[in-house]
């Protein structure tokens, strides 16, 4: 191997997520979302670290809540989202709901469904 091959820190390696219980489209979406969180300077450091662990293959989706740092990152992230939601004006909440519904309709049209399609 040449001296130009630089091995990055294991936490910085970037593999596509390949969860066996998810479809190819869902894995692609999850990978894209994790990369966005990892690279978002506004994301909490714990969430960025969780994304790095998953993208490096050190942590699988099914194990996130069993991992103490994963559990903490998600619960703190959800808490922050809850506070943001509570502080939003009603018209802003409605705009978010409309966008979520629009995205869900687009995903359904593209044949991408979530883990539960009985909703």
């Amino acid at each position: 191997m040449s001296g130009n091959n630089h091995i990055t820190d294991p936490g910085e390696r970037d593999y596509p997520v390949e969860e066996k219980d998810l479809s190819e489209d869902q894995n692609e979406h999850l990978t894209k979302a994790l990369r966005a969180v990892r690279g978002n300077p506004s994301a909490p450091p714990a969430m960025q670290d969780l994304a790095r662990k998953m993208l490096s293959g050190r942590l699988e989706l099914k194990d996130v809540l069993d991992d103490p740092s994963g559990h903490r990152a998600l619960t703190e992230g959800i808490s922050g989202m809850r506070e943001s939601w509570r502080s939003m004006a009603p018209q802003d909440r409605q705009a978010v709901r409309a966008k979520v519904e629009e995205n869900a309709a687009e995903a359904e049209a593209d044949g991408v469904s979530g883990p539960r399609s009985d909703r």
Side-chain angles (χ1 to χ4, degrees), residues 6-116:
H6 177 70
I7 298 187
T8 58
D9 179 45
E12 295 301 320
R13 292 184 185 153
D14 192 350
Y15 302 110
V17 175
E18 295 180 358
E19 293 286 337
K20 64 182 180 213
D21 295 331
L22 299 179
S23 70
E24 184 176 337
D25 288 339
Q26 289 171 322
N27 276 316
E28 288 174 13
H29 182 75
L30 178 57
T31 299
K32 183 177 177 182
L34 289 170
R35 287 175 179 161
V37 168
R38 180 194 58 201
N40 184 343
S42 300
M47 290 296 291
Q48 291 175 327
D49 187 50
L50 180 61
R52 281 187 198 95
K53 284 182 179 180
M54 291 183 70
L55 288 167
S56 69
R58 293 181 289 150
L59 185 64
E60 292 184 32
L61 181 60
K62 67 179 180 65
D63 298 324
V64 168
L65 290 176
D66 291 334
D67 179 75
S69 63
H71 184 268
R72 189 170 35 259
L74 289 176
T75 55
E76 288 173 4
I78 290 170
S79 175
M81 289 180 357
R82 181 178 52 236
E83 293 306 316
S84 294
W85 183 259
R86 287 179 178 164
S87 67
M88 284 178 134
Q91 61 270 27
D92 293 336
R93 288 183 192 178
Q94 189 55 40
V96 170
R97 285 184 187 108
K99 186 65 174 172
V100 168
E101 289 172 5
E102 177 185 322
N103 289 344
E106 287 175 7
E108 190 172 322
D110 291 341
V112 178
S113 64
R116 290 183 54 201

